[in-house]
Structure formats: C-alpha cells, structure tokens
Amino acid sequence: IFSVGDRVQIRGLQNSKEHNGKEAIIASPLDSNTGRYGVYYREMGNEDTLLAVRPLNLYNLSSQEGKERMTLPVYKIDLMNGGILLLPTNEKKQIPFKWINK
C-alpha cells in the first residue's frame, strides 16, 4: 500500500514499456474503481507525465528518501469517456526527495 508522496519505480508494464524503470511519485490514493494509483514523473526538459498504474507495477523507493523536501500537487483518478484521467486537487503534500545523477 502506497501513500500520496511516496517515491516508486514503475516496473513490468506491458503496453507502455517506455515508462518501465522511471522513478515516479504517487499522486493519488488507490482508486477503488480502477485499482490503480495515479503517479507522475518528469524527465529533464519535459512536462510531467501522469499515469494510472496498478500496485503490482510499482516498487517502493521511499525507504531510500533523502532529507530535502519538495511540495507537490495531489491528484485524483476520474473515469471519463472510457479512459482514466488524473485531475489535480487543491491539496498539496510535502515529500522527502533526493537528487539522482544519472
């Protein structure tokens, strides 16, 4: 079980393999309708990538967190027109993070 703000790594996606290995942040609680968490990540020079991912495709990295903190938006999952949409809420959460040089 993950909490909003937890750091995770995306693993084992079959239909969107390009996201595997990405480090992301849990952006929404587990949605009971879809069985997915909202997650997002940002690559250098790009905008946030938002995804709805099943828990079995997420690996918890929060135990490796650093001492610095950042404030991030919290999202909710919404089902719309047969698709899954991540919508921002007014809530913000401070989370620990560490810089990773790759």
Side-chain angles (χ1 to χ4, degrees), residues 8-13 16-24 41 43 57 61 100 102:
V8 294
Q9 183 180 57
I10 301 168
R11 296 181 174 181
L13 297 179
S16 298
K17 293 180 180 181
E18 68 274 14
H19 302 296
N20 288 333
K22 303 292 184 188
E23 291 187 12
Y41 68 87
E43 292 183 298
N57 295 111
L61 297 175
I100 299 172
K102 291 188 176 182

Side-chain angles (χ1 to χ4, degrees), residues 9-98:
Q9 183 180 57
I10 301 168
R11 296 181 174 181
L13 297 179
Q14 297 301 309
N15 294 329
S16 298
K17 293 180 180 181
E18 68 274 14
H19 302 296
N20 288 333
K22 303 292 184 188
E23 291 187 12
I25 302 292
I26 298 292
S28 72
L30 183 66
D31 183 83
S32 60
N33 293 320
T34 65
R36 297 168 191 253
Y37 287 96
V39 303
Y40 63 94
Y41 68 87
R42 178 179 295 160
E43 292 183 298
M44 287 280 219
N46 295 325
E47 294 189 22
D48 289 347
T49 298
L50 299 168
L51 303 168
V53 182
R54 292 183 186 122
L56 64 96
N57 295 111
L58 299 171
Y59 175 76
N60 194 343
L61 297 175
S62 287
S63 62
Q64 303 172 16
E65 61 198 23
K67 295 180 181 177
E68 298 183 67
R69 300 184 79 72
M70 67 169 54
T71 301
L72 297 171
V74 176
Y75 290 81
K76 70 175 186 167
I77 293 178
D78 192 17
L79 299 175
M80 183 172 272
N81 297 328
I84 298 173
L85 186 63
L86 289 172
L87 301 173
T89 66
N90 290 328
E91 187 180 349
K92 303 266 188 218
K93 181 163 183 161
Q94 271 211 338
I95 63 158
F97 77 99
K98 68 176 180 177

